[in-house]
Amino acid sequence: MKKILTITLMLASMLGMAQTAYITNNIDSSITVIDVATNTVVDSIRVGHSPNGVSVSADGTKVYVTNSVDGTVSVINTSTSTVTTLVTVGT
């Protein structure tokens, strides 16, 4: 799985599509923000318990993180690196 993620990030970076990677940290309930041009950590964002899925909006302004234990989705504003909304999903 790491190999696929690495290849995807490399291709996106080469095409000028992704300048930032959002990586889930399941154990400490956070997202690590990485500048893919320099491979450096630029931020860490606290989210719900046990984050495991990430999706970035088409315009790059929002990141959606699924929190499996909480049954929530954290919505992150990419310009401020803050969780702006917590959406309850599932039952």
Side-chain angles (χ1 to χ4, degrees):
M1 185 64 161
K2 281 186 176 181
K3 189 178 281 189
I4 292 171
L5 177 61
T6 302
I7 292 169
T8 302
L9 290 173
M10 284 182 4
L11 289 174
S13 180
M14 289 181 345
L15 295 172
M17 296 175 3
Q19 298 303 311
T20 307
Y22 297 89
I23 310 301
T24 59
N25 302 305
N26 191 278
I27 301 298
D28 68 356
S29 299
S30 68
I31 298 294
T32 297
V33 183
I34 299 173
D35 179 325
V36 297
T38 61
N39 290 324
T40 57
V41 173
V42 294
D43 210 344
S44 180
I45 305 166
R46 300 288 299 166
V47 293
H49 191 233
S50 194
N52 62 14
V54 177
S55 181
V56 180
S57 64
D59 63 3
T61 62
K62 293 184 182 96
V63 173
Y64 299 87
V65 181
T66 58
N67 306 303
S68 61
V69 172
D70 294 349
T72 60
V73 175
S74 298
V75 182
I76 298 170
N77 177 320
T78 58
S79 64
T80 62
S81 292
T82 58
V83 175
T84 57
T85 307
L86 192 63
V87 180
T88 301
V89 295
T91 55

